[in-house]
Amino acid sequence: MSDDKNLKTPRLEINLHKIQENARILVENLAVKGISVTGITKASLGCPKIAKVLLSAGVNALGDSRIQNIMRMRNADITAPITLIRTPMMSQIEQVVEHATISFNTELDVINALSESAQKVGKNHGIILMLELGDLREGIMPEDIEGIVSKTLELPNIKFKGIGANLACRSGVVPDAKNMKELSDMANSLDAIFGFKMDIVSGGNSANLGWALKSLNIGRINNLCLGESFLLGLDPLTRKPIEGLYTSAFTLMAEIIESKIKPTKPWGKIGQSAFGKLPPIKEQGNISQILLAIGEQDTDPSGLTPPLGMEILGASSDHIIVKADKHSITIGNKISFKPNYAALLRAMTSPFIEKCFIS
Ligand SMILES: *Cc1c(COP(=O)(O)O)cnc(C)c1O
């Protein structure tokens, strides 16, 4: 608990040293396997400070899903290659060509538009074609990819860079020897058909780490796009800590605005609350209840871990309600939480949360 009057609350304290160490360790361990790392910045709104830390830790490129975040990094004089990791919107083609080095693609119409726009400004744009491997988010069905590679190769100012896949996002499909071999085999077969050796075979995201670090045969996979693992030090498949990484790079601090002894059970006739149905209440008699000035609008309250001895009882748009211990009930005091990915994502995006960097 901190009572520093100069620091604004609520705030997200971001330890850049821990993020850098996490990135350095993962980059080193994957380099041994011949895998390069694209540092994904989308969970931090393309925060230039975090991007710079990832670059100094040895990632060979940056990646983000939103063109606005990429532009934010470009405005901060980041000249490293940046990949747009969501297939471009037709309405943003010009910005994509201007600011992103490469984009992930699945639609020929989009690649055609990228080519036209790139010709107009005399630039080249790199394309990675995403292959559907079963998670049913983005990706070209395997039987269609050869035709799309063939058409992509014909387009002016378009550079075909390779193929990629993304698992464990929509459906939680686990990256394993079987689906990664499918991606590898596809790279080999396309190379043979078209007579080149593609640069990039991107295996996926942080959920691939378990496979990549343990597998004795990674095949053609030579790139991963990592975000959550740098930031939180967790394996997204299990949300368990990855050995040797910090899991405490982010702390969310919120301020106590009410502190009272209250019963645990509400009274009156009960309907739905502001955010729908509620879990059953555990009767605990009278408790020390504190109200924090932070809510659903600022973070995902269900993704916060409170300090030992405290319990999050509920939340609304602007409040989180906590069962406190005896020592943390003074108005104006700050309570610190550990955010999960969802809580971090929302806190990073909230204009009400101060971002506070510690090195
Ligand atoms: C978000 C995203 C990543 C990074 O995922 P993490 O789990 O944060 O490592 C990688 N690839 C794609 C296509 C993504 O959308």
Side-chain angles (χ1 to χ4, degrees):
M1 253 151 289
S2 149
D3 274 307
D4 191 331
K5 295 276 186 304
N6 297 317
L7 291 174
K8 291 183 181 155
T9 28
R11 67 175 177 272
L12 192 60
E13 293 184 346
I14 305 169
N15 187 315
L16 291 172
H17 169 74
K18 290 180 178 174
I19 297 170
Q20 177 156 11
E21 273 302 288
N22 285 354
R24 188 185 61 74
I25 291 167
L26 288 172
V27 165
E28 269 176 19
N29 292 345
L30 289 166
V32 177
K33 301 252 167 182
I35 296 178
S36 71
V37 174
T38 302
I40 304 302
T41 50
K42 68 187 181 202
S44 67
L45 278 185
C47 170
K49 283 200 172 82
I50 293 180
K52 285 175 185 169
V53 151
L54 297 180
L55 287 168
S56 70
V59 304
N60 74 326
L62 298 167
D64 204 291
S65 51
R66 315 270 169 150
I67 194 65
Q68 294 90 336
N69 293 349
I70 293 178
M71 287 160 74
R72 184 179 174 203
M73 293 189 274
R74 291 298 187 217
N75 285 334
D77 293 326
I78 292 173
T79 55
I82 307 184
T83 302
L84 179 67
I85 60 168
R86 184 173 71 182
T87 181
M89 282 187 237
M90 278 298 217
S91 55
Q92 296 181 338
I93 295 291
E94 276 156 35
Q95 287 114 298
V96 174
V97 167
E98 183 176 353
H99 301 290
T101 324
I102 293 177
S103 55
F104 283 3
N105 281 270
T106 59
E107 292 291 349
L108 209 46
D109 285 349
V110 174
I111 305 170
N112 269 313
L114 288 166
S115 171
E116 271 171 33
S117 177
Q119 286 175 71
K120 269 191 205 131
V121 295
K123 270 191 153 183
N124 285 328
H125 185 75
I127 299 287
I128 291 179
L129 293 177
M130 298 300 280
L131 181 67
E132 177 61 72
L133 286 181
D135 201 52
L136 299 180
R137 202 180 71 176
E138 77 274 44
I140 299 162
M141 294 301 281
E143 60 271 25
D144 298 329
I145 197 161
E146 184 190 327
I148 296 185
V149 173
S150 161
K151 295 221 168 71
T152 299
L153 289 171
E154 288 167 10
L155 291 173
N157 298 59
I158 291 293
K159 296 278 167 251
F160 174 73
K161 301 300 266 182
I163 60 174
N166 187 72
L167 293 168
C169 272
R170 177 191 158 189
S171 313
V173 172
V174 176
D176 60 14
K178 186 164 179 287
N179 48 39
M180 287 297 106
K181 182 170 184 303
E182 220 178 296
L183 184 62
S184 260
D185 288 349
M186 183 59 83
N188 285 333
S189 119
L190 292 170
D191 278 4
I193 292 168
F194 294 101
F196 51 45
K197 186 151 197 280
M198 64 178 76
D199 272 0
I200 299 173
V201 184
S202 189
N205 54 58
S206 295
N208 285 62
L209 280 170
W211 166 81
L213 295 173
K214 277 187 219 106
S215 174
L216 295 174
N217 181 10
I218 55 155
R220 288 289 302 278
I221 313 304
N222 64 7
N223 174 263
L224 289 180
C225 294
L226 303 180
E228 178 172 350
S229 46
F230 291 155
L231 301 174
L232 297 179
L234 300 177
D235 180 338
L237 288 177
T238 57
R239 296 273 142 69
K240 296 233 166 72
I242 299 171
E243 207 187 308
L245 301 199
Y246 291 105
T247 58
S248 54
F250 294 89
T251 308
L252 188 57
M253 307 286 289
E255 183 170 331
I256 304 176
I257 53 171
E258 183 189 296
S259 172
K260 310 219 176 282
I261 306 293
K262 292 195 180 182
T264 28
K265 254 185 126 75
W267 59 89
K269 194 166 165 260
I270 307 291
Q272 285 204 0
S273 78
F275 289 88
K277 290 211 176 84
L278 291 165
I281 288 155
K282 208 170 20 155
E283 173 61 86
Q284 307 183 63
N286 279 351
I287 56 161
S288 173
Q289 173 181 301
I290 55 176
L291 216 54
L292 301 174
I294 186 172
E296 293 274 0
Q297 188 171 351
D298 311 287
T299 188
D300 179 0
S302 69
L304 296 178
T305 306
L308 217 64
M310 293 195 202
E311 185 188 344
I312 297 178
L313 298 172
S316 61
S317 316
D318 309 300
H319 302 90
I320 291 180
I321 299 100
V322 172
K323 179 189 168 192
D325 61 18
K326 291 182 201 66
H327 312 289
S328 50
I329 50 173
T330 310
I331 302 297
N333 265 6
K334 319 292 187 297
I335 306 293
S336 64
F337 296 89
K338 202 169 178 176
N340 73 1
Y341 190 71
L344 174 66
L345 203 60
R346 216 184 288 173
M348 267 289 179
T349 321
S350 170
F352 301 104
I353 306 258
E354 184 78 8
K355 317 300 182 292
C356 181
F357 294 91
I358 45 183
S359 296

